[in-house]
Amino acid sequence: MGQGAVGIGLAIFFVCANVGFFSVGIGPVCWVVTSEIFPLRLRAQAAALGAVGNRVCSGVVAMSFLSVSNAITVGGTFLVFAAVSAVSVAFVYWLVPETKGKSLEEIEVLFESERGWRGGGKGEVEMGDAEHLVQNE
């Protein structure tokens, strides 16, 4: 991408695309999922490890930005970031189960079950998929 008006416009577009895709894809999901999927007895420690992993990955991206932007331009760097973020949206849509409206105990049972990962349809795991695992008293 050149340094002219078109190159600058594309760079701004790819920055916005990256922010948009990241905001609906892996950005919030990594925080939400790490706080939900672990058993109650390990949740605090596991969520802390998830936060450390998130911060380390963010640091690697930040520290590599200047090297990559010198190699392929700033616009090209954000094109790569936007592409990775777009792929993450597809990953979240198809492979991360929906946990809205479920208790933490139901989510724990859902993730313990091998069947829970395979949900039906478009990648969402519905409440009915885990009901057979919850014992009614």
Side-chain angles (χ1 to χ4, degrees), residues 36 97-108 110-111 124-130:
E36 291 178 341
E98 177 61 59
T99 58
K100 180 180 179 184
K102 296 178 178 69
S103 71
L104 291 174
E105 291 76 19
E106 292 168 333
I107 294 168
E108 180 178 344
L110 182 69
F111 280 99
E124 292 181 2
V125 177
E126 299 297 332
M127 187 59 155
D129 295 337

Side-chain angles (χ1 to χ4, degrees), residues 1 3 16 20 26 32 44 63 67 70 77 83 100 108-109 114 121 127 129 131 134:
M1 285 178 223
Q3 301 298 327
C16 293
I26 205 72
V32 172
M63 287 187 290
S67 300
N70 284 336
T77 303
K100 180 180 179 184
E108 180 178 344
V109 170
E114 188 174 319
M127 187 59 155
D129 295 337
E131 283 180 351
V134 179

Side-chain angles (χ1 to χ4, degrees), residues 24-25 29 86-98 121-125:
V24 298
V29 169
V87 169
S88 80
V89 170
F91 172 83
V92 167
Y93 182 78
W94 290 105
L95 298 175
V96 176
E98 177 61 59
K122 61 179 183 169
E124 292 181 2
V125 177

